[in-house]
Amino acid sequence: MTTASLYYVVHKSPDAPPEGAPLLLLLHGYGADEEDLLGLAPHLDARLICVSARAPYALDFGGFAWFNIEIGAEGLRFAFAEAEEPLVQVLALVDALRQEHRPTRVFIAGFSQGASMALAAALKRPRDFAGVIALSGLCCPEMLPENAAVRDLKVFMSHGHFDPVIPIAQARASRDLLLPLGLDLQYKEYDMPHAIAPPCLEDLDAWLRARLDTP
């Protein structure tokens, strides 16, 4: 399907509520596509409608991206200004999905640069999201809001000790940028590379379930 110029696919369990199900929007990483994170859906709460969006920029070697990246000795670098138009598209997709599915609440999740997009979306419009999930990604100062409206926004962040793409030091620096905002932040590290290992997936599922079970 295509809405707000972003292509997306939907996974809905037969056990999902017929009306008013919660919705999880998934944003993939650099060089992947909309099918990549959809594999998480069967491992998550069956009440969720999972929607996975394709990033807008096609790469020469295959796959798609939300913005350009550079990898140097200190880790990954990106110019957040390049993500501004894709961010508008993500937020427009959220609005369209609300109209289409009428979810009780919306979560947004991303992996790697998709995690940066998910964080940026939630920090820009915190009242639109019941929570944000940032898996093996980064936050940069340009993403931070100018007011305190994000206080108590629910955030799950995870990162691998052995990540060769985004070193753990960069993940900790991202966490430290977010801490002064007063978020309801759960930050966890795992013995994994640039990936989503089973212990991470189990903790993510538990985090989501706890928020689905809270009115």
Side-chain angles (χ1 to χ4, degrees):
M1 300 182 185
T2 304
T3 300
S5 76
L6 290 180
Y7 180 80
Y8 66 93
V9 291
V10 179
H11 176 279
K12 186 173 183 180
S13 167
D15 297 326
E19 296 181 356
L23 187 144
L24 174 63
L25 177 59
L26 299 162
L27 307 178
H28 64 77
Y30 186 84
D33 62 23
E34 69 282 359
E35 297 291 340
D36 187 51
L37 291 184
L38 204 63
L40 298 178
H43 303 283
L44 300 175
D45 194 294
R47 290 171 287 182
L48 287 163
I49 298 173
C50 292
V51 177
S52 189
R54 177 192 294 173
Y57 303 125
L59 299 172
D60 291 341
F61 57 82
F64 297 84
W66 300 100
F67 48 83
N68 290 319
I69 60 171
E70 296 179 8
I71 299 178
E74 75 284 3
L76 186 143
R77 299 188 301 270
F78 67 89
F80 183 67
E82 295 180 2
E84 290 181 359
E85 179 56 31
L87 180 58
V88 170
Q89 293 175 301
V90 167
L91 292 171
L93 177 57
V94 170
D95 293 338
L97 292 172
R98 284 188 182 279
Q99 291 293 319
E100 180 181 355
H101 295 282
R102 303 291 180 181
T104 52
R105 62 191 82 180
V106 176
F107 296 87
I108 188 168
F111 177 78
S112 195
Q113 69 167 211
S116 298
M117 294 298 298
L119 276 171
L123 291 172
K124 190 172 184 67
R125 287 189 4 197
R127 298 185 188 281
D128 285 7
F129 300 100
V132 54
I133 297 156
L135 306 170
S136 300
L138 286 178
C139 180
C140 64
E142 294 87 342
M143 292 163 55
L144 300 181
E146 297 179 357
N147 55 53
V150 297
R151 181 168 293 277
D152 297 325
L153 174 67
K154 295 172 175 57
V155 181
F156 179 91
M157 292 183 72
S158 68
H159 214 87
H161 292 131
F162 313 122
D163 192 326
V165 178
I166 302 175
I168 192 68
Q170 284 195 291
R172 292 168 180 166
S174 296
R175 172 202 60 194
D176 293 345
L177 276 176
L178 294 171
L179 284 175
L181 300 179
L183 307 174
D184 180 356
L185 172 62
Q186 182 173 331
Y187 173 85
K188 306 201 74 170
E189 298 177 356
Y190 302 88
D191 289 335
M192 63 183 185
H194 196 61
I196 307 170
C200 175
L201 182 56
E202 290 169 7
D203 288 344
L204 167 58
D205 182 44
W207 184 88
L208 272 169
R209 285 181 185 274
R211 277 136 197 88
L212 291 175
D213 292 336
T214 302

